[in-house]
C-alpha cells in the first residue's frame, strides 16, 4: 500500500517517523482502542513502557485480523494516563520494543493525556486506522 506523507514547509517538522498528514487509497480498517493486556486479559507488568509495547502489539494483531498489516497503518492515537513530558522516554521505549516485532510506516500520530481509562491498572490505550488495497480494485 502506497501511503503519501505530507509535511508542509510552513509547519514545524514532525518527529522522525511521524507525518503531519497521510493519504492512502483502499479499504479502511478502524481499530478500537487496545490496552496493555496479554492474551489472557491480564495487564502486563512493567509500567508504561511495557503496556505501550503490548498495546501496540495488540493493535497490530487486530489490524492483521482485519486482513491488513502494520505497514498499512496511516494513523495512531495514544491516550496516556496522567501524561507529562517526563513519560516520553517510557512511551518511546515501548514503541521501539513493538517495532522490533512489527514494521511501522511513517504515519500521522496523536498523543492525548487523559485523567484515567476504564480501569485504574491501564496506563495507555492505542487506536488506529489502516488502509489496505482491496482485491477487487
Amino acid at each position: 500500500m502506497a501511503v503519501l506523507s505530507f509535511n508542509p514547509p510552513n509547519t514545524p517538522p514532525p518527529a522522525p517517523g511521524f507525518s503531519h498528514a497521510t493519504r492512502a487509497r483502499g479499504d479502511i480498517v478502524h481499530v478500537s482502542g487496545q490496552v496493555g493486556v496479554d492474551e489472557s486479559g491480564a495487564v502486563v507488568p512493567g509500567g508504561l513502557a511495557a503496556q505501550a509495547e503490548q498495546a501496540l502489539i495488540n493493535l497490530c494483531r487486530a489490524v492483521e485480523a482485519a486482513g491488513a498489516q502494520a505497514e498499512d497503518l496511516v494513523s495512531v492515537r495514544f491516550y496516556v494516563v496522567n501524561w507529562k513530558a517526563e513519560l516520553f522516554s517510557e512511551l518511546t521505549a515501548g514503541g521501539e520494543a513493538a517495532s522490533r516485532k512489527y514494521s511501522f510506516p511513517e504515519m500521522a500520530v496523536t498523543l492525548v493525556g487523559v485523567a484515567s481509562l476504564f480501569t485504574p491498572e491501564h496506563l495507555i490505550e492505542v487506536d488506529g486506522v489502516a488502509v489496505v488495497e482491496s482485491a477487487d480494485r
Side-chain angles (χ1 to χ4, degrees), residues 19-31:
S19 181
H20 284 293
T22 58
R23 186 178 77 201
R25 181 179 184 142
D27 291 333
I28 299 173
V29 177
H30 294 271
V31 181

Side-chain angles (χ1 to χ4, degrees), residues 29-39 50-79 94-95 98-99 101-105 107-110 124-131:
V29 177
H30 294 271
V31 181
S32 295
Q34 302 295 308
V35 293
V37 297
D38 62 21
E39 292 178 21
Q51 286 192 33
E53 176 186 4
Q54 188 64 54
L56 285 166
I57 288 169
N58 293 344
L59 178 80
C60 291
R61 289 175 177 165
V63 164
E64 289 175 340
Q69 300 176 36
E71 293 88 1
D72 297 320
L73 285 162
V74 295
S75 70
V76 172
R77 283 181 296 271
F78 294 90
Y79 303 90
S99 70
K101 298 174 176 113
Y102 291 94
S103 178
F104 294 101
M107 63 184 122
V109 175
T110 300
I124 186 169
E125 187 166 342
V126 182
D127 68 22
V129 176
V131 178

